[in-house]
Amino acid sequence: MSIREIDIKEIEGIKVGNAENVEAGTGCTVVICEEGATPGVDVRGGAPGTRETDLIRSENLVEKIHAVVLAGGSAFGLDAASGVMRYLEEKGIGFDTGVLKIPIVASAILFDLAVGNPYIRPDFEMGYKACVNAEKGEFTYGNKGAGTGASVGKFLGIKRAMKSGLGCYALQAGELKVGAVVAVNALGDVFDPETGEVIAGLLDEKGEKIISTEEAIIENIGREKSVFRNNTTIGVVITNAMLSKAEANKVASMAHDGYARAIKPVHTMFDGDTIFVMATGKVKVDPTSVGVLAVKAVERAIVRAVKEAESAYGLKSYKDLKKF
């Protein structure tokens, strides 16, 4: 069966929007499913910051979520989800408790406080604005949303890092559609799995070429080293597949292969790597097929996050290195 790239907006029932403060170097991205999507999640990094991940466990009560928020600002950025809740509540969307409807909004954050202004973080207003932009159909990637202040290759500190951003990629095979939105803020280096090329990561002392983070870690074994501890890659896999919560959780687990293919090293003690799944339940398929496409969508979204990023906050981008 042939696979083709599609616009993520072609996944029916899904809206995606960004809001950011460019001067402060932070932002948030929201993925909304007003009808409710079957959720999954897999948290692999050693330093996560999340909301509603326990609720998504297969044995727990709520079967649908209405939005996922990816945000900068470290733990402060979880506040953006409250703005998303207000937006959805105003539209009468949520889990019906018999008293009122409560929007179920999951979230994960990344650390971008080392660039821009650390005292300005994604908040209630920014989360609400991202929803308004999603409603308008305004969504782009690169230095946008949760990727505004994102960077990679930080083992030797932020000054040797490179600018990354927000990436998006979606695929269709038959009636099945699978997409991914990923904010790439990894400790490690980013590779293009299709070519094997390292496209962003730890820079040499002159800032002219990328050196291996894995080799730098090995060289520092046994030495006291102050590692830049604040990183994390966060993403959402979106699909029109019909999945149970258990199956969606499995797809989230499989989707981490996309991280492993494109980021080295990944899932470190200094990353909070997290992937959510939102399944709209329109097409009945084998969950493994969804997982295979999810891996491809995630790895391509990561590559796009790097290649679409622009230099900012004193950090060079992939586009800059191509000039050397």
Side-chain angles (χ1 to χ4, degrees):
M1 182 178 292
S2 63
I3 302 173
R4 68 181 182 92
E5 182 184 355
I6 61 172
D7 190 312
I8 203 159
K9 296 175 185 176
E10 294 181 49
I11 302 178
E12 297 85 355
I14 294 290
K15 298 175 183 177
V16 189
N18 293 321
E20 58 275 320
N21 184 319
V22 175
E23 182 178 345
T26 195
C28 66
T29 300
V30 63
V31 181
I32 297 172
C33 182
E34 295 183 359
E35 294 181 1
T38 302
V41 68
D42 193 327
V43 181
R44 299 254 179 122
T50 59
R51 166 177 169 152
E52 298 286 30
T53 51
D54 281 347
L55 176 145
I56 296 173
R57 290 171 58 180
S58 302
E59 69 271 22
N60 288 339
L61 174 66
V62 175
E63 293 291 332
K64 304 286 185 180
I65 63 172
H66 304 96
V68 169
V69 183
L70 309 178
S74 191
F76 294 107
L78 292 171
D79 187 36
S82 296
V84 176
M85 285 192 71
R86 174 62 62 82
Y87 177 87
L88 294 172
E89 182 186 24
E90 290 175 355
K91 299 192 71 172
I93 296 166
F95 175 74
D96 192 348
T97 66
V99 178
L100 48 73
K101 292 183 178 179
I102 301 177
I104 307 300
V105 179
S107 181
I109 51 85
L110 56 80
F111 187 99
D112 55 9
L113 303 179
V115 303
N117 185 343
Y119 297 100
I120 297 176
R121 287 88 57 160
D123 55 12
F124 184 102
E125 288 75 19
M126 189 180 286
Y128 192 98
K129 183 178 179 182
C131 294
V132 172
N133 290 338
E135 187 71 36
K136 295 177 180 177
E138 297 177 0
F139 176 67
T140 54
Y141 35 84
N143 293 21
K144 297 291 184 179
T148 301
S151 55
V152 297
K154 291 169 279 190
F155 180 70
L156 297 179
I158 193 68
K159 292 182 179 179
R160 300 274 292 273
M162 286 182 63
K163 187 71 183 71
S164 182
L166 182 75
C168 174
Y169 199 86
L171 298 163
Q172 181 170 356
E175 295 183 351
L176 175 62
K177 300 175 183 180
V178 182
V181 179
V182 185
V184 184
N185 193 54
L187 176 75
D189 308 320
V190 177
F191 292 74
D192 186 336
E194 292 187 354
T195 65
E197 176 192 14
V198 57
I199 57 176
L202 175 60
L203 292 174
D204 65 6
E205 291 184 0
K206 294 182 179 180
E208 295 180 353
K209 65 179 182 178
I210 302 168
I211 62 175
S212 170
T213 293
E214 288 186 338
E215 290 182 11
I217 291 171
I218 293 168
E219 288 174 4
N220 282 278
I221 290 174
R223 304 177 190 173
E224 288 197 13
K225 182 71 189 166
S226 179
V227 180
F228 188 83
R229 298 174 178 272
N230 307 296
N231 309 284
T232 298
T233 298
I234 50 179
V236 189
V237 169
I238 308 154
T239 179
N240 65 348
M242 186 182 300
L243 300 175
S244 67
K245 281 177 73 176
E247 290 169 339
N249 278 310
K250 184 59 180 176
V251 169
S253 175
M254 292 180 67
H256 272 278
D257 284 359
Y259 282 9
R261 291 181 185 180
I263 302 171
K264 301 178 184 179
V266 71
H267 305 144
T268 75
M269 287 298 293
F270 309 108
D271 291 283
D273 300 332
T274 300
I275 296 180
F276 291 98
V277 169
M278 299 177 73
T280 63
K282 305 300 182 184
V283 178
K284 187 172 179 60
V285 291
D286 174 14
T288 298
S289 302
V290 183
V292 168
L293 286 184
V295 173
K296 291 183 176 294
V298 167
E299 68 177 41
R300 299 318 302 170
I302 291 170
V303 171
R304 183 168 281 171
V306 166
K307 290 190 173 182
E308 293 296 325
E310 303 285 346
S311 59
Y313 317 111
L315 302 177
K316 291 181 178 179
S317 68
Y318 168 82
K319 296 177 181 180
D320 294 317
L321 289 193
K322 296 301 285 184
K323 298 175 184 176
F324 286 99

